[in-house]
Amino acid sequence: VPLLPPSSLASIREMKKVPGAIVRAGTVVNPDQFAQAVDAGAEFIVSPGLTQHLARPIIDAGVPFLPGIANAADIMTGLDLGLTHFKFFPAEANGGLKALKALAAPFYQCKFCPTGGITEASAPEWLAFAPVPCVGGTRVTPKRASIAQAPALARAATRLRGQPHTRHPGLAPGPTRPPTQPRRRCPAQPGPPAAPRPAPPPAPPPP
């Protein structure tokens, strides 16, 4: 539940009444919103960015936290705080899957949840990338959708990981390199014959 409209906290309280529901609060940008969200019943926090001012009280409280990152400096800040799971946001505007693959390469220990521009068609492709265990989007609650449509939309979302995917444009594998061949040594070639040394000059006659 993004903390954008005034009714967000009331929505969290209502959703917590559903048995087994795990409610997260999103778009949390300061410690006051964090405290309000937890008081309303939120069990984990998602933020569009990462600052120590926001992260420290969430971590100290032991509440799961998924901060947004957009570059290597953000990830390094999170690692310094003991975090290894991040939201890649906004995913498509930041370069899409190609950008995340390049960004994730130095940070093998990290996992990413891309959000922002992820569609039902592109989600399986993102999910096929090992550091991406999940994606975020508004597919379950699109605009003008009715409550009656929610179960079918939720079931469709759970099937995304199993869908076939195509390789992202620009990420096609390059040509396969031939196996390395042992280096051959050139056989020794005989050189030109050595020039004969000149004879030493004759000794001078005795006096």
Side-chain angles (χ1 to χ4, degrees):
V1 180
L3 298 188
L4 292 175
S7 59
S8 298
L9 296 175
S11 298
I12 292 175
R13 293 188 182 96
E14 288 299 314
M15 294 171 70
K16 281 298 294 180
K17 296 177 182 179
V18 178
I22 299 176
V23 185
R24 64 97 172 167
T27 322
V28 177
V29 298
N30 59 60
D32 289 340
Q33 286 185 328
F34 161 62
Q36 294 169 359
V38 171
D39 184 64
E43 297 180 61
F44 72 99
I45 302 298
V46 181
S47 174
L50 174 60
T51 66
Q52 295 200 30
H53 180 63
L54 172 62
R56 182 53 62 193
I58 299 175
I59 295 170
D60 290 347
V63 176
F65 180 39
L66 187 69
I69 60 91
N71 53 53
D74 292 341
I75 298 174
M76 292 169 66
T77 299
L79 290 173
D80 287 344
L81 292 165
L83 302 171
T84 56
H85 290 63
F86 305 98
K87 178 174 80 166
F88 180 50
F89 175 80
E92 289 296 344
N94 275 330
L97 182 56
K98 183 177 181 180
L100 181 59
K101 287 190 174 186
L103 187 61
F107 304 105
Y108 62 90
Q109 69 273 56
C110 297
K111 300 293 183 182
F112 302 91
C113 173
T115 71
I118 310 297
T119 66
E120 186 173 352
S122 66
E125 189 176 5
W126 285 90
L127 291 167
F129 182 39
V132 175
C134 60
V135 297
T138 58
R139 292 174 303 280
V140 179
T141 56
K143 292 181 179 179
R144 295 180 293 277
S146 67
I147 294 297
Q149 294 174 283
L153 291 168
R155 284 191 292 269
T158 61
R159 292 192 296 266
L160 289 176
R161 182 177 288 276
Q163 293 182 9
H165 66 281
T166 56
R167 186 171 292 274
H168 195 275
L171 296 180
T176 303
R177 293 184 178 181
T180 303
Q181 299 293 331
R183 182 178 295 178
R184 295 182 179 179
R185 293 182 177 273
C186 296
Q189 299 293 331
R197 291 185 177 183

